[in-house]
Amino acid sequence: MHSPTLKHFILRQQVLNLYRDAVRASRVIPDPVTRKETVAWIRGEFERNRDLTDVHLIEHKLKVARRDIKYILPTISNKRS
């Protein structure tokens, strides 16, 4: 594996911020079971992609995740786009 570049560190922070925002946005889901399932889905998606190292693939996944989360949890803020 190649050593992480500055771009990797920047993307890592963006991914963590998106994860936190998504979990926070799920708090508005009134049903606790649905909320728990949603958070489990969010965590599972992020965990599934945790070992990615290709910058372009990470950027693509980040873009797709933003779109999916915005669609599923429309209350997510757009402050970190």
Side-chain angles (χ1 to χ4, degrees):
M1 182 173 112
H2 301 288
S3 62
T5 64
L6 177 60
K7 185 68 174 175
H8 284 100
F9 288 108
I10 292 169
L11 287 171
R12 181 180 183 337
Q13 191 61 45
Q14 290 175 0
V15 168
L16 289 172
N17 287 336
L18 180 61
Y19 176 79
R20 288 184 195 113
D21 287 345
V23 171
R24 282 186 198 115
S26 71
R27 291 178 186 163
V28 300
I29 299 172
D31 180 42
V33 173
T34 304
R35 185 177 337 115
K36 188 174 183 177
E37 290 172 352
T38 302
V39 171
W41 171 77
I42 292 167
R43 181 178 178 91
E45 289 299 307
F46 279 81
E47 285 285 332
R48 192 166 58 96
N49 293 296
R50 81 179 307 165
D51 295 324
L52 295 179
T53 57
D54 180 83
V55 170
H56 298 295
L57 185 57
I58 295 169
E59 289 172 333
H60 172 72
K61 294 281 188 174
L62 192 55
K63 182 178 176 182
V64 170
R66 283 185 183 124
R67 185 192 65 220
D68 290 350
I69 291 170
K70 190 182 293 187
Y71 177 75
I72 293 168
L73 300 169
T75 59
I76 193 165
S77 67
N78 293 324
K79 65 182 176 189
R80 293 187 176 131
S81 295

